[in-house]
Amino acid sequence: MTSTIRFQFTKGQEVRFLSHLDLVRAMERAIRRAGLPMAYSEGFSPRPIMSYSFALPVGVMSEAEYADFRLVEDWDPAYFMEQFNKHLPPGLRVLHAERLPEGTPALMSEINAALWRIRLPQAEQVAVEKRWQELQAVDSFVVERQTKQGSRSVNLRPLLFGVPRIAREGEAVEVHCLAAVGNQGNLRVEELGLLLGFDSAQALITRIGQFKKVGSAYYPPLGNRGCTWTE
Amino acid sequence: MDKRLVPLLPLVTKPARYTNSEVNAQHKEWTEDRVTMALAFPDIYDVGMAHLGFKILYALINSRPDALAERVYAPWVDMQQLMIERGIPLTALESGRDVADFDLVGFTLQHELSYTNILKMLDLAGIPRRTQDRREGDPLVLAGGPCAFNVEPLADFFDFVVLGEGEEVIQEILDVVKAAKQSRTPRQETLRELARLKGVYVPSFYRPVYDSGRFQGLEPLYPDLPARIEKRVARDLGSLPFPEEFVVPYTEVIHDRVMVEILRGCTRGCRFCQAGMIYRPVRERDPEQLKEQVAKLVSSTGYDEISLSSLSSGDYTQIRSLVKDLIAAYRGCGVTVSLPSLRLDSFAVELADEIQKARKTGLTFAPEAGTQRLRDVINKNVTDQDLKEVVQAAFQAGWHRIKLYFMIGLPTETEADLDGIAELAHKVLAWGREFRTSRKRPEVTVSMASFVPKPHTPFQWRGQDSLETLRAKQEYLRERLRHPGIQFSFHEVEHSFLEAAFARGDRRLGAVLERAVDLGCQFDSWGDELRFDRWLQAFREAGLDPVDYAQRSLDPEEALPWDHLSPGVDKKFLVREWELAQQAIPTPDCRWDRCTLCGVCFNLQVANRLTEVGSGD
Ligand code: SF4
């Protein structure tokens, strides 16, 4: 009997420099070590049937990545989590897992917003705050985005949702902000840096939430699915 | 890993190369009583992680409570620059400690074009390049691997060198170094101790003698030193430990899979092939033991591919049953089996449906030479008829792409032999059109390397063709191979030339190497990194002629810089093979035929060891 398990996992410090491809490969190997009863695709080189939320850029960490695994047996999600965690490499950790009801939309089609935590040197606080003051007054912030097809202009302003929280955190300053992710509009982390005026390559960035945004309410793709965050 | 590298990671390509939290990496504590060894691979992580020898040593050393091993790779150019700018020395992956803090730093010598990387790594580590400049407290720098059989160009840089198989001698080395560490024995005395171990060579204890620019021989500095250092060799692979875990990299590396060594050594006796001489005799591992190793490795790594490695995997006596058993055992969980050094023969075709990788990448066949005559000269035991049958069968079985490997510039080669290469390529294409069952158009890929004379082979005396000759031969072939169904490539002649010079080099080349590194040469095997003009400048400044090293044909009577480094094969056997080659007389494989008296078995008290006597091919 097949089943699908959706789980939330971390991408910690130890594995922060993995590309999405590296991450998927590391998952596949952990699956095999853990002996998960994965469903495999047909064909010459069968692959485990699994899907992930939007790829994280290299160097960025996460406390809220999501994946759906298709199993050929009906495993208890708690047991799945326990077994898989025993074999995942350091930094990758399942936090929650649950059985996915048939017909649940795919992660990629549901998720449209991400919550980011950006850790910056204290000295940058003033600049970011000043930039936010400026941004509040405008509804457009246009940059050139490089894509495979060439470069095109994108207005980043509407891709930032709500009001960022900028606060001192020990020796550093932390910015929490909600931004668009996904096919309907996507704010890249380096663009987030452009928008809020920091260097994304030198910041410690963590994705701490991914949501389905409806109006100003944010619903995570897992758990009680109640609204957990509002703008 | 070294914390100082963290801020650099966002600035370099493939940062995961420098991080260290891989599954199965061993992070052992640095305690006073432990001997510490850095396994230093003179190329980047992506290449070095594939090296089976280091995987074996890593597991073996770390299994000793009184020792630890960590990995070190050459940082790529971008990372090197940042490290130099910020004064960060080369560190080991696991602990992030300076390489200079280890008791032992061991390099593997896989090919000549990695030599500059060794010096570069020593520089980055802040370890003096030359043995004579190292002080008490500096690591002992050692080397092993195939090129150790002529380590002379590197003799000034290694405190000691290991000849042959490492599994047993490493234990003895660790014992000596541990005792020396506890009793604070001076470096020189420790080296004297090490020189007493079988298979260990301490280059600084031997002085080369030259006469009017020609090498005459080596003089031992102490009377108790052996005049010839014999390689270490295990009688039975089954008695050697094999890792149950491999470190599993995150970033993409070559040969990223479970590897088990099904046999060691090859006695086919190709006369240009160094591996075929220095790894003798043939020793096969027991299939049941292999299956156990595979099972442990698959479950500890989670890899989806099992590779059965050896110099010539199709020669393993029970290859059919082994492959079929493994395929049957792992088919269900998406794990495939591959045979990287499989000769194209009927067996390969038989497995057409089962070895999926082969279908994707095409089948490889290495006739090495274009005519039967030249194949007899080089002792490549393949006939036109074999080739024809197998290629036809392969096309019939659904393959559409065949790869052919050749060597140009082989001894006695004539225009007819070059024509033979082109004709063979066209013939294979024609067979493809006639016999294919695949809908895809047949394709032939021809890859051509230049002959490089290698020490301890019957062809060691024969000089390499001049660069102009090799280029002209390539041009000649290029014209004859031009066809839409044929793709072809040549090894760069400059690479082969430097390889030949260092393969047959003596100690004087150490100065050239140092100069080349100072001029910015490194990663020479990486196509566009080779700076040939600077190499020539380095030779010029050292007053040495690379042409003399690479291209001069030597007299079988003259002393060779590697005569004292013995793989157990007698020089007189090589001379005899060289003579037979010139008469185009092949020599059979002693594994299935009679002993051809190469000397290994007698000299080193070993024997060919097949798992199933008499079943042959
Ligand atoms: S000594 Fe004889 S049997 Fe042993 S490897 Fe040499 S040729 Fe073969």
Side-chain angles (χ1 to χ4, degrees):
Chain A
M1 190 191 147
T2 64
S3 66
T4 302
I5 286 189
R6 174 168 292 180
F7 59 93
Q8 179 184 353
F9 65 98
T10 62
K11 187 187 178 199
Q13 181 74 42
E14 300 91 332
V15 284
R16 116 183 216 225
F17 289 101
L18 268 54
S19 68
H20 186 63
L21 217 70
D22 296 339
L23 175 87
V24 170
R25 202 166 29 228
M27 285 285 187
E28 284 188 22
R29 288 168 183 170
I31 286 169
R32 213 167 277 111
R33 289 194 298 270
L36 302 184
M38 294 296 287
Y40 281 86
S41 63
E42 304 283 320
F44 248 155
S45 42
R47 298 246 82 91
I49 300 174
M50 52 187 185
S51 58
Y52 292 86
S53 49
F54 294 96
L56 265 187
V58 174
V60 174
M61 295 180 287
S62 180
E63 291 165 9
E65 293 307 287
Y66 294 91
D68 293 344
F69 277 16
R70 186 120 190 107
L71 306 185
V72 291
E73 287 167 33
D74 186 20
W75 271 30
D76 174 43
Y79 180 71
F80 167 92
M81 180 167 136
E82 187 192 321
Q83 287 306 305
F84 201 27
N85 272 338
K86 275 191 211 153
H87 294 277
L88 279 170
L92 295 179
R93 190 121 218 100
V94 179
L95 301 176
H96 303 289
E98 64 181 35
R99 245 182 228 105
L100 204 61
E102 283 299 325
T104 310
L107 288 162
M108 292 277 211
S109 69
E110 244 188 335
I111 292 173
N112 57 5
L115 177 62
W116 299 97
R117 182 178 65 214
I118 303 132
R119 227 178 139 76
L120 299 166
Q122 247 245 270
E124 301 204 28
Q125 181 166 357
V126 183
V128 175
E129 274 169 350
K130 184 161 162 277
R131 173 60 69 81
W132 171 241
Q133 294 300 326
E134 292 162 15
L135 283 178
Q136 271 180 306
V138 298
D139 52 14
S140 111
F141 186 98
V142 178
V143 299
E144 285 300 298
R145 181 185 281 183
Q146 305 301 326
T147 65
K148 283 189 201 92
Q149 287 82 39
S151 95
R152 65 186 172 89
S153 307
V154 198
N155 181 9
L156 301 183
R157 183 62 189 92
L159 301 177
L160 187 67
F161 302 144
V163 179
R165 199 180 80 204
I166 305 164
R168 260 195 74 172
E169 195 56 56
E171 295 291 282
V173 55
E174 272 187 7
V175 180
H176 284 78
C177 63
L178 286 156
V181 65
N183 307 325
Q184 306 301 100
N186 187 51
L187 188 65
R188 300 175 178 177
V189 291
E190 64 274 15
E191 291 170 344
L192 190 58
L194 281 178
L195 195 58
L196 288 175
F198 64 86
D199 176 6
S200 63
Q202 292 305 320
L204 208 57
I205 304 174
T206 311
R207 180 145 78 184
I208 55 174
Q210 291 191 78
F211 308 96
K212 177 177 166 186
K213 168 181 155 75
V214 182
S216 62
Y218 292 76
Y219 303 89
L222 194 67
N224 63 15
R225 290 162 189 268
C227 169
T228 55
W229 195 275
T230 48
E231 280 170 16
Chain B
M1 69 176 283
D2 183 358
K3 294 275 169 293
R4 290 168 292 183
L5 296 180
V6 176
L8 309 184
L9 294 176
L11 313 175
V12 298
T13 51
K14 285 226 200 178
R17 279 171 186 159
Y18 310 102
T19 62
N20 68 343
S21 65
E22 307 114 308
V23 168
N24 299 330
Q26 304 286 312
H27 298 265
K28 284 180 85 171
E29 205 192 324
W30 279 54
T31 52
E32 261 310 295
D33 57 335
R34 280 192 173 142
V35 178
T36 57
M37 177 158 183
L39 296 171
F41 194 93
D43 208 317
I44 54 171
Y45 180 90
D46 319 28
V47 178
M49 277 297 285
H51 182 47
L52 184 57
F54 268 4
K55 289 182 199 290
I56 294 175
L57 290 178
Y58 186 76
L60 213 142
I61 299 169
N62 281 321
S63 73
R64 277 177 67 136
D66 59 353
L68 65 82
E70 302 193 11
R71 294 162 296 147
V72 184
Y73 302 94
W76 186 246
V77 188
D78 55 355
M79 182 55 117
Q80 280 184 22
Q81 265 157 11
L82 291 168
M83 286 166 66
I84 292 167
E85 274 166 29
R86 304 190 187 197
I88 303 171
L90 187 64
T91 51
L93 265 186
E94 281 78 0
S95 64
R97 297 221 180 206
D98 292 2
V99 173
D101 288 347
F102 282 78
D103 297 319
L104 291 159
V105 178
F107 285 94
T108 178
L109 308 177
Q110 295 294 310
H111 59 85
E112 292 79 8
L113 295 184
S114 68
Y115 291 176
T116 46
N117 292 0
I118 295 171
L119 293 195
K120 193 77 204 185
M121 287 170 79
L122 289 175
D123 289 356
L124 288 170
I127 299 172
R129 286 176 182 174
R130 289 185 173 259
T131 329
Q132 67 194 46
D133 298 327
R134 294 191 194 125
R135 298 285 164 258
E136 302 299 333
D138 282 332
L140 290 168
V141 182
L142 67 143
C147 294
F149 284 100
N150 180 22
V151 76
E152 288 308 296
L154 296 163
D156 295 336
F157 312 119
F158 292 125
D159 297 304
F160 68 102
V161 176
V162 175
L163 290 192
E165 297 165 8
E167 287 104 331
E168 291 167 338
V169 69
I170 190 70
Q171 305 282 15
E172 298 159 22
I173 292 169
L174 291 172
D175 290 341
V176 169
V177 174
K178 184 185 167 194
K181 193 176 176 177
Q182 278 163 357
S183 61
R184 301 184 182 280
T185 310
R187 239 180 135 74
Q188 283 307 307
E189 257 173 65
T190 309
L191 288 174
R192 290 281 282 145
E193 259 331 293
L194 288 165
R196 287 195 185 99
L197 301 178
K198 272 194 71 182
V200 171
Y201 168 50
V202 179
S204 60
F205 291 170
Y206 294 80
R207 188 175 39 223
V209 181
Y210 304 95
D211 181 25
S212 43
R214 290 264 177 261
F215 176 81
Q216 301 299 317
L218 279 183
E219 277 176 358
L221 299 186
Y222 306 103
D224 60 334
L225 291 170
R228 251 161 81 97
I229 297 93
E230 301 271 17
K231 77 167 178 191
R232 293 297 290 257
V233 58
R235 208 171 294 191
D236 174 9
L237 295 192
S239 65
L240 301 179
F242 196 83
E244 295 182 359
E245 297 178 345
F246 286 170
V247 179
V248 186
Y250 292 115
T251 178
E252 215 166 343
V253 307
I254 60 169
H255 308 330
D256 199 8
R257 56 200 180 196
V258 165
M259 278 181 253
V260 290
E261 186 191 27
I262 57 177
L263 78 153
R264 200 175 282 183
C266 173
T267 44
R268 289 191 164 259
C270 296
R271 289 170 178 143
F272 55 84
C273 177
Q274 190 186 44
M277 296 296 153
I278 63 176
Y279 294 122
R280 285 173 177 232
V282 169
R283 287 143 298 149
E284 297 189 347
R285 247 183 230 273
D286 172 60
E288 293 311 313
Q289 191 191 33
L290 287 166
K291 285 180 212 166
E292 258 169 60
Q293 289 173 356
V294 168
K296 284 182 181 149
L297 283 166
V298 169
S299 68
S300 71
T301 61
Y303 276 133
D304 63 358
E305 188 184 344
I306 302 158
S307 151
L308 304 179
S309 81
S310 75
L311 292 170
S312 176
S313 297
D315 288 340
Y316 183 67
T317 319
Q318 300 184 47
I319 191 67
R320 281 181 170 76
S321 56
L322 179 63
V323 169
K324 289 190 171 160
D325 290 354
L326 288 174
I327 288 173
Y330 294 98
R331 200 197 307 266
C333 48
V335 177
T336 59
V337 177
S338 68
L339 289 145
S341 57
L342 188 62
R343 285 175 310 119
L344 179 49
D345 58 10
S346 52
F347 170 61
V349 176
E350 189 185 313
L351 284 179
D353 289 325
E354 292 168 287
I355 299 182
Q356 304 151 357
K357 274 272 154 62
R359 187 184 285 277
K360 270 186 273 168
T361 55
L363 270 178
T364 301
F365 195 78
E368 306 288 2
T371 61
Q372 191 60 51
R373 183 202 66 83
L374 191 52
R375 285 197 290 272
D376 288 340
V377 169
I378 64 177
N379 204 34
K380 186 84 197 184
N381 193 2
V382 172
T383 63
D384 283 346
Q385 190 56 29
D386 293 340
L387 182 67
K388 184 174 174 186
E389 280 167 21
V390 177
V391 168
Q392 290 179 355
F395 282 121
Q396 273 163 345
W399 269 290
H400 74 284
R401 190 185 303 143
I402 302 282
K403 279 194 217 166
L404 299 172
Y405 281 111
F406 292 100
M407 224 178 251
I408 58 177
L410 283 162
T412 78
E413 181 188 71
T414 65
E415 217 168 82
D417 300 304
L418 299 179
D419 292 337
I421 293 176
E423 279 160 26
L424 218 48
H426 286 281
K427 256 194 249 174
V428 170
L429 200 59
W431 292 330
R433 282 192 290 260
E434 192 178 342
F435 293 98
R436 68 166 164 161
T437 53
S438 162
R439 281 210 309 277
K440 296 190 180 134
R441 283 233 316 264
E443 279 172 42
V444 183
T445 307
V446 187
S447 165
M448 288 155 288
S450 301
F451 163 70
V452 177
K454 294 275 177 149
H456 307 288
T457 66
F459 288 174
Q460 63 183 356
W461 294 283
R462 166 57 154 64
Q464 190 177 46
D465 278 351
S466 71
L467 291 168
E468 299 71 48
T469 309
L470 288 174
R471 284 199 198 97
K473 287 180 178 177
Q474 292 189 349
E475 200 42 51
Y476 185 86
L477 280 162
R478 201 168 275 137
E479 265 159 39
R480 279 155 187 80
L481 286 169
R482 209 162 275 147
H483 187 282
I486 301 176
Q487 285 175 352
F488 55 89
S489 63
F490 297 100
H491 279 202
E492 301 200 25
V493 293
E494 291 84 2
H495 282 154
S496 308
F497 174 66
L498 284 176
E499 244 181 83
F502 277 91
R504 299 203 304 170
D506 57 36
R507 274 192 202 192
R508 292 172 293 184
L509 291 193
V512 178
L513 204 57
E514 274 194 291
R515 188 67 192 127
V517 173
D518 292 340
L519 290 170
C521 295
Q522 62 169 335
F523 293 114
D524 302 292
S525 61
W526 289 77
D528 40 357
E529 295 290 323
L530 182 76
R531 294 177 169 85
F532 193 57
D533 51 333
R534 302 200 190 164
W535 271 107
L536 295 182
Q537 181 186 344
F539 270 100
R540 228 174 13 251
E541 289 177 9
L544 294 166
D545 185 3
V547 169
D548 190 58
Y549 285 97
Q551 296 171 7
R552 188 168 70 88
S553 279
L554 314 175
D555 188 325
E557 296 294 311
E558 74 182 87
L560 301 172
W562 54 90
D563 276 343
H564 62 300
L565 303 171
S566 167
V569 173
D570 289 328
K571 199 169 178 180
K572 61 177 187 292
F573 169 77
L574 299 179
V575 175
R576 195 164 63 234
E577 282 294 296
W578 177 223
E579 283 161 1
L580 291 172
Q582 278 149 315
Q583 300 159 50
I585 300 173
T587 297
D589 187 332
C590 64
R591 148 177 47 181
W592 303 305
D593 224 302
R594 59 175 206 291
C595 169
T596 54
L597 301 172
C598 78
V600 166
C601 295
F602 177 77
N603 293 333
L604 303 177
Q605 305 296 300
V606 283
N608 283 332
R609 205 183 165 100
L610 308 184
T611 56
E612 204 181 66
V613 179
S615 71
D617 206 23

